[in-house]
Amino acid sequence: MNKLFDLTGKTALITGSSRGLGFSYAEGLASAGANVVLSAVHKKTLDAAVTKLKNQGYHVTGYVMDVSKEEQIIDTFNQLDKAGIQIDIVINNAGIQHRQPMVELELKDWQRVMDIHLTGTFLVSREAAKRMIKRHSSGKFINICSLTSEQARPTVAPYTAAKGGIKMLTRSMAAEWGQYNIQANAIGPGYILTDMNEALVNDKAFDTWVKNSNPAKRWGKPEELIGTAIFLSSAASDYINGQVIYVDGGWLAVL
Ligand SMILES: NC(=O)c1ccc[n+]([C@@H]2O[C@H](COP(=O)([O-])OP(=O)(O)OC[C@H]3O[C@@H](n4cnc5c(N)ncnc54)[C@H](OP(=O)(O)O)[C@@H]3O)[C@@H](O)[C@H]2O)c1
């Protein structure tokens, strides 16, 4: 591996990494040499993901951490401190979707999406950054945006508001932490084949719309985000801060 992209000696915390894109980032960063801390809500799926990566010879551990619960986040970072694990890279990936017209949307459902995506990204980043700054080490944050950080669609208002917020939170992180040699950037995936999109893939009209609208004429695959995740985690991106890289097959480039 070119030294610019080598993550040997670095430790990455990836939220929501028991499956889907988070697992793919975990596998990708581990293959670039990083030690990886996986985390998710459901222990059984998390343990299975940890075992799968361990069986490939990677250095991984798993922590149950619901990013919508501040006390669980603080507790996890305290456990990491006790175990002597210092986080150099954070991928704020945990997420859910909630589809409903806005006039029917209840506050609790709005709040849950905002808590997991936007507030979770803030809280996990705060805990990691305060430790990086205290120990005078560099650091990398990769937040997960979406096409909805730029464009809206009906029935996903809280997700759209949260993803737009994550884009600006990324810039706030760059503005405050750049002076400490900490970079915060974001990946904006297009429509990628994961559990989150299962219903959309099975919806013939939606599937056809995706394939017709995207210059690539197809859905993306989780492994197609790995290169960007390694780049934004590595020394190769040390002078890039506050940016969103859209990995969308060219979708946002066209009308
Ligand atoms: N797939 C796409 O096309 C696409 C496009 C743009 C952006 N994204 C973003 O990419 C991220 C991952 O999406 P995905 O498609 O991989 O989703 P996914 O397959 O549904 O996986 C979601 C992951 O997040 C975890 N999670 C859910 N709620 C959590 C919480 N409260 N605390 C911690 N972890 C939690 C899940 O763990 P449990 O199993 O334990 O719940 C799981 O590991 C999300 O931020 C999503 O918005 C996805």
Side-chain angles (χ1 to χ4, degrees), residues 59-131:
H59 290 106
V60 295
T61 47
Y63 287 79
V64 168
M65 179 174 75
D66 183 334
V67 300
S68 68
K69 306 236 159 43
E70 183 181 23
E71 65 283 4
Q72 281 192 30
I73 295 169
I74 291 172
D75 182 58
T76 301
F77 274 89
N78 287 339
Q79 285 184 55
L80 290 169
D81 290 344
K82 272 196 197 131
I85 299 172
Q86 295 186 342
I87 302 299
D88 307 292
I89 301 160
V90 175
I91 303 187
N92 283 302
N93 167 81
I96 58 163
Q97 183 55 285
H98 181 90
R99 295 177 190 279
Q100 199 167 26
M102 240 191 296
V103 290
E104 296 166 13
L105 187 64
E106 289 182 35
L107 177 59
K108 69 172 176 41
D109 295 320
W110 166 276
Q111 198 62 55
R112 178 149 180 74
V113 176
M114 297 301 279
D115 284 351
I116 292 174
H117 285 278
L118 185 55
T119 310
T121 296
F122 156 62
L123 290 171
V124 171
S125 302
R126 184 191 68 189
E127 290 308 304
K130 69 165 87 148
R131 287 164 171 82

Side-chain angles (χ1 to χ4, degrees), residues 221-239:
K221 296 176 255 177
E223 58 270 26
E224 290 179 302
L225 297 160
I226 290 175
T228 312
I230 293 174
F231 170 57
L232 292 178
S233 299
S234 70
S237 60
D238 278 354
Y239 202 55

Side-chain angles (χ1 to χ4, degrees), residues 185-201:
N185 292 291
I187 295 176
Y191 285 97
I192 315 289
L193 293 166
T194 65
D195 294 350
M196 188 178 275
N197 286 330
E198 202 181 343
L200 300 180
V201 176

Side-chain angles (χ1 to χ4, degrees), residues 3-40:
K3 241 188 151 13
L4 271 177
F5 301 95
D6 187 0
L7 302 181
T8 305
K10 302 289 184 189
T11 299
L13 167 66
I14 305 175
T15 68
S17 44
S18 58
R19 56 196 171 83
L21 299 182
F23 181 78
S24 191
Y25 298 132
E27 199 167 28
L29 265 55
S31 75
N35 302 321
V36 180
V37 178
L38 284 85
S39 69

